[in-house]
């Protein structure tokens, strides 16, 4: 026996319930979407939009510009594994969907590449400085919205700058805002971090407040979930 399709009234009631939940739990985060694997309602920035290509392959849409119905997934290996096990993408799309076995690895690679592209934009916009001395100067002047350090950089310099950044951000009047998140990320190695700046090796980068800082923070947050149980392998391949 085929399951009954929801009525229009049931759909409207579900949408209203989602809207009320989002307004109560995420009042300042913008639009929300529901993850196809966990069914949790989350801000769009915390999820990855996907579409199904004309030949039935699941394609990540990191810039949310591809045509087609958007399917949203929490960017974690656990959620992706749940989605594959439950055939959640096919059920949500109401059609067969091909998902490669290494889809989570591919997604991590795409997000890391997007972080690199955004770092390049920040460099060209004059919203990034590189090297220990310049990054430290921005941190001390409270000009650093993000501190990005290579995961394989020398521990001493990274720890010193990290402690300084954390101490200054903890001072009164330094509340986190979307355009000035005040977070540190160490998810790229020195080669990956250097590439957007035309260098071979780079450990320290500071990003000034603004839209690029917000977008970088969102992408690094998504990447951090995917790297949680596949970090060493991903770095080794980079």
């Amino acid at each position: 026996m085929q399951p009954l399709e929801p009525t229009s009234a049931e759909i409207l009631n579900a949408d209203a319930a989602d809207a009320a939940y989002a307004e109560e739990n995420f009042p300042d985060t913008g639009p929300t979407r529901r993850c196809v694997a966990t069914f949790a309602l989350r801000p769009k920035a915390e999820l990855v939009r996907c579409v199904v290509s004309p030949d039935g392959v699941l394609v990540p849409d990191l810039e949310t510009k591809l045509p087609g119905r958007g399917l949203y997934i929490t960017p974690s290996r656990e959620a992706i594994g749940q989605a594959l096990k439950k055939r959640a993408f096919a059920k949500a799309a109401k059609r067969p969907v091909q998902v490669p076995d290494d889809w989570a690895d591919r997604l991590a690679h795409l997000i890391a590449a997007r972080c690199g592209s955004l770092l390049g934009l920040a460099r060209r916009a004059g919203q990034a400085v590189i090297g220990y001395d310049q990054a430290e100067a921005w941190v001390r002047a409270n000009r650093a919205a993000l501190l990005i350090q290579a995961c394989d950089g020398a521990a001493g310099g990274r720890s010193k700058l990290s402690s300084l950044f954390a101490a200054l951000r903890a001072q009164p009047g330094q509340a986190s805002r979307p355009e000035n998140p005040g977070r540190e990320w160490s998810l790229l190695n020195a080669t990956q971090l250097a590439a957007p700046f035309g260098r071979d090796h780079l450990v320290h980068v500071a990003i000034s407040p603004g839209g690029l800082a917000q977008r970088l923070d969102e992408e690094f947050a998504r990447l951090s979930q995917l790297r949680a149980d596949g970090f060493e392998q991903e770095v080794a391949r980079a």
Side-chain angles (χ1 to χ4, degrees), residues 7-237:
T7 66
S8 297
E10 289 172 333
I11 293 174
L12 288 174
N13 288 337
D15 289 345
D18 280 357
Y21 180 86
E23 183 176 355
E24 178 181 354
N25 292 276
F26 314 112
D28 302 315
T29 56
T32 57
R33 294 294 185 271
R34 191 174 293 281
C35 172
V36 299
T38 66
F39 303 113
L41 195 67
R42 304 298 301 172
K44 282 178 65 175
E46 296 180 9
L47 304 172
V48 171
R49 182 181 189 265
C50 310
V51 297
V52 181
S53 70
D55 54 354
V57 177
L58 188 70
V59 178
D61 179 22
L62 299 183
E63 297 188 10
T64 65
K65 293 181 178 179
L66 294 178
R69 180 185 180 187
L71 309 175
Y72 290 83
I73 182 72
T74 300
S76 73
R77 293 175 185 272
E78 180 180 4
I80 292 170
Q82 289 179 19
L84 295 178
K85 183 177 181 180
K86 299 188 295 187
R87 298 181 64 250
F89 292 114
K91 292 176 181 177
K94 296 182 171 58
R95 58 171 292 186
V97 177
Q98 300 176 42
V99 185
D101 292 338
D102 62 346
W103 195 82
D105 291 330
R106 297 186 189 188
L107 179 59
H109 180 76
L110 287 173
I111 296 176
R114 180 160 170 77
C115 289
S117 296
L118 291 171
L119 286 169
L121 286 175
R123 173 184 64 82
R124 293 189 291 274
Q127 298 178 24
V129 293
I130 63 175
Y132 185 92
D133 290 342
Q134 292 190 73
E136 181 189 29
W138 271 28
V139 168
R140 289 190 181 279
N142 287 322
R143 294 184 60 189
L146 289 178
L147 177 62
I148 304 166
Q149 303 198 87
C151 59
D152 55 351
R158 289 173 53 204
S159 177
K160 184 177 178 181
L161 199 53
S162 178
S163 297
L164 175 64
F165 184 61
L168 291 177
R169 293 295 305 198
Q171 292 180 352
Q174 293 295 315
S176 175
R177 302 186 304 278
E179 72 282 1
N180 191 2
R183 291 207 280 187
E184 176 186 348
W185 295 105
S186 296
L187 295 172
L188 304 179
N189 61 34
T191 301
Q192 291 174 305
L193 191 57
F197 299 93
R199 303 292 184 91
D200 295 325
H201 186 276
L202 183 62
V203 176
H204 314 285
V205 176
I207 305 295
S208 63
L212 283 173
Q214 179 178 352
R215 290 162 63 189
L216 268 167
D217 187 58
E218 292 170 353
E219 295 300 339
F220 276 123
R222 295 199 289 188
L223 183 59
S224 69
Q225 295 185 74
L226 282 165
R227 288 280 177 84
D229 51 2
F231 180 65
E232 295 298 334
Q233 295 87 339
E234 180 68 23
V235 169
R237 284 198 300 270

